[in-house]
């Protein structure tokens, strides 16, 4: 094809904007489609790709003319919707074929298949990006919290421990992530095991821990269960504050 562009939904601007294009000038021209654009509306209603020549042949001039302007603005002959679970994630536009032939039925069937595969790949990529962003966001929150926070999974493996928790509990500088529960001070181990087993949840319970140099620290500990979206227990977490100072 002579040109192509990939537009993805931009939730902030409420429009589909170009993220990649060939030639790059297409993206530089701020190629975008509003959510209410005629092509977007048609794709959402029909769940089908839009072919300029086919619309020109089947629609009245008054109906086709505004659609034609949208095709031309995108330098497109075909617009392929990227649907995933009823959600229009984006669209792929294709310009004229290098041979100048029209797109055949075989071409269009192949494009539908490629569009479905691209939508799944795109959703997976967006999911990975979202999970990564959320993890980084949560890591930053944990990093600057004044309380110590730890999380364990159902197998009593530690999967989260912020810097404050390591400081308060006098844990190794390298951290204890992926380590076992027995790396934590004895009072905390018992409280977490009880919470995870549904026996007891602690709320601002005062405990004492003894450091390797013989000094005693007084802590306030609250424990809670961690649940997934289906309300299944996936782990437990204590929030620890140092009362010694």
């Amino acid at each position: 094809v002579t040109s192509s562009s990939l537009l993805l939904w931009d939730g902030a601007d409420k429009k589909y904007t170009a993220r990649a294009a060939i030639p790059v000038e297409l993206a530089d021209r701020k190629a975008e489609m509003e959510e209410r654009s005629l092509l977007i509306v048609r794709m959402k209603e029909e769940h089908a790709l839009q072919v300029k020549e086919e619309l020109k042949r089947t629609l009245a001039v008054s109906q086709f003319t505004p659609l034609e302007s949208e095709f031309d603005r995108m330098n497109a002959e075909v617009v392929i919707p990227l649907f995933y679970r009823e959600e229009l994630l984006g669209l792929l536009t294709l310009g004229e074929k290098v041979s100048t032939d029209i797109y055949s039925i075989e071409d269009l069937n192949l494009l539908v298949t490629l569009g479905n595969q691209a939508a799944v790949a795109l959703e997976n990529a967006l999911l990975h990006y979202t999970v990564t962003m959320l993890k980084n966001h949560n890591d930053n929150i944990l990093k600057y919290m004044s309380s110590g926070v730890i999380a364990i999974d159902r197998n009593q493996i530690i999967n989260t421990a912020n810097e404050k928790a390591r400081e308060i509990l006098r844990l190794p500088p390298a951290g204890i992530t992926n380590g076992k529960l027995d790396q934590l001070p004895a009072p905390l181990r018992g409280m977490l095991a009880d919470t995870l087993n549904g026996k007891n949840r602690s709320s601002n319970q005062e405990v004492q821990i003894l450091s390797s140099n013989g000094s005693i620290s007084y802590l306030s500990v609250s424990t809670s269960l961690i649940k997934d979206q289906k309300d299944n227990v996936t782990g437990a977490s204590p929030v620890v504050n140092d009362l010694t100072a």
Side-chain angles (χ1 to χ4, degrees):
V1 295
T2 57
S3 62
S4 178
S5 61
L6 173 67
L7 286 79
L8 299 180
W9 174 245
D10 186 332
D13 291 336
K14 303 297 182 184
K15 63 180 66 173
Y16 294 88
T17 57
R19 304 298 177 88
I22 301 173
V24 293
E25 288 79 8
L26 274 179
D28 293 340
R29 288 188 338 209
K30 296 186 179 298
E32 59 188 31
M33 279 193 179
E34 301 286 344
E35 187 176 19
R36 63 180 179 274
S37 76
L38 296 176
L39 278 173
I40 296 296
V41 171
R42 284 184 66 90
M43 285 188 288
K44 286 185 175 181
E45 289 177 349
E46 301 176 4
H47 273 61
L49 54 75
Q50 302 295 308
V51 184
K52 182 179 177 182
E53 283 301 317
E54 181 180 335
L55 295 176
K56 182 178 182 179
R57 186 175 65 254
T58 58
L59 296 180
V61 174
S62 59
Q63 292 177 298
F64 175 68
T65 301
L67 287 169
E68 182 181 30
S69 66
E70 292 189 6
F71 275 104
D72 292 345
R73 184 163 51 84
M74 301 300 301
N75 199 27
E77 293 294 317
V78 178
V79 180
I80 306 162
L82 304 178
F83 279 104
Y84 185 80
R85 294 180 179 174
E86 304 300 313
E87 181 181 359
L88 184 59
L89 302 177
L91 47 136
L92 181 65
T93 72
L94 298 176
E96 291 184 347
K97 296 173 70 173
V98 175
S99 64
T100 69
D101 294 337
I102 65 172
Y103 285 87
S104 66
I105 295 298
E106 291 77 12
D107 291 333
L108 298 179
N109 288 337
L110 176 60
L111 291 174
V112 169
T113 301
L114 292 177
N116 291 336
Q117 294 175 346
V120 173
L122 178 59
E123 173 64 16
N124 290 336
L126 291 174
L127 179 61
H128 175 74
Y129 174 77
T130 301
V131 169
T132 301
M133 290 295 291
L134 286 174
K135 182 181 183 301
N136 291 339
H137 179 64
N138 289 340
D139 286 347
N140 285 331
I141 291 175
L142 290 172
K143 181 177 180 180
Y144 295 105
M145 283 183 68
S146 59
S147 300
V149 178
I150 294 173
I152 64 170
D153 63 19
R154 289 297 304 270
N155 298 317
Q156 299 191 1
I157 300 298
I158 300 166
N159 51 36
T160 299
N162 69 350
E163 292 182 12
K164 197 64 177 180
R166 295 196 290 271
E167 175 188 330
I168 293 174
L169 300 174
R170 295 173 171 79
L171 299 173
I176 54 173
T177 303
N178 298 323
K180 294 184 178 180
L181 184 60
D182 59 13
Q183 294 187 53
L184 300 178
L188 206 55
R189 292 200 301 267
M191 295 167 70
L192 268 177
D194 285 346
T195 299
L196 191 58
N197 294 326
K199 294 179 180 178
N200 184 43
R201 299 184 199 180
S202 303
S203 179
N204 295 318
Q205 182 173 333
E206 292 189 17
V207 300
Q208 301 177 20
I209 62 170
L210 184 65
S211 68
S212 58
N213 62 12
S215 62
I216 297 176
S217 294
Y218 298 89
L219 311 178
S220 169
V221 181
S222 297
T223 61
S224 61
L225 290 172
I226 301 172
K227 298 184 178 182
D228 61 19
Q229 292 180 335
K230 296 182 179 179
D231 208 35
N232 297 316
V233 174
T234 60
S237 175
V239 176
V240 182
N241 289 289
D242 192 350
L243 304 178
T244 306

